Amino acid sequence: MSAWDGPSYDAVAMPQTAWGEEIVRRLVSELGGGRHASAAAVLDAGCGSGRVTATLLDGLPDATVVAGDPAESMRQQARVRLAPYGERVRVVDLDLEDDAMLGVNGGRPFDAVLSTGAFHWVRDHRAMYRRLAAVLRPGGALVAQCGGAGSVAEVREILDHLGVEWAHLNHYPSPDETAGWLRAAGFRDAWVWLTPEPVELGGREAAVEYLLAGVLAPYLAARRAAEQREIAEAVADRLAEPRIDFVRLNVLARRT
Ligand SMILES: C[S@@+](CC[C@H](N)C(=O)[O-])C[C@H]1O[C@@H](n2cnc3c(N)ncnc32)[C@H](O)[C@@H]1O
């Protein structure tokens, strides 16, 4: 199994989709409404299975969107979901950790970048924000949300007890360090803040499926399916409450 399985993630990503809808509303408002906003060129960085991308396309009916993700299975799922939008959207291989992303739109700058649930899977945020600034036009908007400081702390503590490594894959940043990276990358008017977003898991089986397809997927990718399920069950059983305490880091900024 690759780190992310598109169909499995798509089936459980209800919380992520609901959070994403709010981020899309912020982006539409940042673009200021009207015809100009509607016709914007937008990058969805780390688009996953495309659920939030579809909301973005609905919210900006004349916009063109490049939806990028490094996971082939996610891209395949996104292509299926986004097919009704035709030429308004292009699904591409995009890695926020690789300078190759600078050529993502054939060198043409974007009016805005949206990203939901992806940045905490990137380790070098300083370099990532530099790349994002480089693909935006001057004055272009960055509107994003990802896991922030303290997010899924209980799950990570349980993984430590179980001997499952996670730290090499994630960075859950604080608002202060993020604001510093944004300034260093050439963003201005940066707002960065945390919001607690606990998710109730709705029973043990639902919890196991959610953990397997979402939170734990990249940590368990190299293991056999049976072992992945055992670990997800062990995590679900050890949670003090049937709940995951997500903390989201929100980013609103303009390229200088
Ligand atoms: C939790 S999913 C979020 C997907 C979607 N944006 C959403 O809100 O439903 C995280 C996504 O981040 C992507 N991702 C992980 N590392 C990335 C990187 N270096 N560059 C871009 N995307 C990355 C994963 O492939 C995955 O699709």
Side-chain angles (χ1 to χ4, degrees):
M1 172 178 169
S2 76
W4 294 98
D5 180 62
S8 309
Y9 175 77
D10 197 68
V12 301
M14 280 69 86
Q16 284 75 9
T17 305
W19 301 331
E21 283 165 4
E22 172 58 26
I23 311 309
V24 168
R25 273 194 290 276
R26 276 181 208 158
L27 182 126
V28 173
S29 148
E30 277 296 300
L31 287 174
R35 246 187 94 244
H36 179 67
S38 190
V42 183
L43 171 66
D44 182 357
C47 65
S49 63
R51 290 179 68 151
V52 177
T53 323
T55 306
L56 174 64
L57 286 154
D58 291 337
L60 292 172
D62 296 319
T64 53
V65 174
V66 175
D69 200 281
E72 169 62 22
S73 174
M74 288 292 214
R75 292 199 303 275
Q76 269 176 24
Q77 188 69 21
R79 283 196 184 97
V80 173
R81 180 174 285 281
L82 301 174
Y85 297 92
E87 292 187 356
R88 288 181 58 214
V89 61
R90 214 158 38 89
V91 180
V92 302
D93 186 2
L94 177 133
D95 185 348
L96 287 162
E97 302 200 84
D98 189 335
D99 279 344
M101 73 155 277
L102 300 177
V104 62
N105 202 27
R108 289 181 303 282
F110 292 100
D111 297 300
V113 172
L114 174 91
S115 184
T116 56
F119 290 175
H120 56 284
W121 297 105
V122 171
R123 282 140 307 174
D124 185 349
H125 286 222
R126 182 183 291 275
M128 174 187 76
Y129 285 117
R130 254 192 247 123
R131 291 185 189 105
L132 290 171
V135 299
L136 275 167
R137 67 164 167 79
L142 171 62
V143 183
Q145 187 186 69
C146 67
S151 194
V152 299
E154 188 186 9
V155 170
R156 290 189 268 142
E157 206 172 296
I158 295 169
L159 291 175
D160 286 340
H161 281 295
L162 296 172
V164 177
E165 289 187 12
W166 58 267
H168 62 298
L169 289 176
N170 288 116
H171 185 67
Y172 288 98
S174 72
D176 279 354
E177 57 184 345
T178 300
W181 292 323
L182 285 164
R183 271 194 303 274
F187 285 95
R188 59 173 165 84
D189 301 336
W191 288 74
V192 189
W193 71 103
L194 295 174
T195 44
E197 293 283 359
V199 167
E200 304 295 334
L201 292 170
R204 184 173 185 273
E205 248 335 281
V208 171
E209 294 311 322
Y210 186 74
L211 287 164
L212 270 178
V215 183
L216 301 183
Y219 311 139
L220 305 183
R223 301 176 190 245
R224 287 175 298 106
E227 199 187 347
Q228 292 180 359
R229 185 161 289 276
E230 264 170 40
I231 292 171
E233 286 173 351
V235 173
D237 291 341
R238 283 171 171 75
L239 288 170
E241 306 282 339
R243 190 183 66 216
I244 300 184
D245 289 323
F246 288 101
V247 177
R248 312 305 285 172
L249 180 107
N250 301 276
V251 176
L252 272 183
R254 290 262 169 197
R255 209 206 111 171
T256 309

